[in-house]
Amino acid sequence: MKMITLVSQLAISMLTAILMCGAIGYAIDAYFGTNTFVFFLILGVAGGYKACYNVICKFLGKKSLFDKEEK
């Protein structure tokens, strides 16, 4: 059951970051007439990966996945 929760939380974290940044980029494009949508979409993907990384670290009880020490 914990794994289903983890996968759901990862999906929600990733989608939320992408959709929010995409909406912000779209709104800025519509208001100012610029082409920043792709930049904000890439920013959303990066933020989603960071959020997923934090969720996985918290799930494993580690500060970083690259630490050699075990608790």
Side-chain angles (χ1 to χ4, degrees), residues 4-48:
I4 293 172
T5 305
L6 177 65
V7 170
S8 298
Q9 191 171 6
L10 291 174
I12 290 169
S13 297
M14 181 64 96
L15 285 175
T16 302
I18 292 172
L19 291 176
M20 286 181 63
C21 285
I24 290 169
Y26 183 77
I28 290 173
D29 282 350
Y31 188 74
F32 292 112
T34 59
N35 293 326
T36 59
F37 177 73
V38 175
F39 172 72
F40 277 96
L41 201 60
I42 292 170
L43 193 65
V45 170

Side-chain angles (χ1 to χ4, degrees), residues 60-63 68-71:
L60 295 177
K62 295 183 176 184
K63 204 170 204 180
K68 297 289 182 187
E69 296 178 17
E70 293 286 328
K71 281 189 173 182

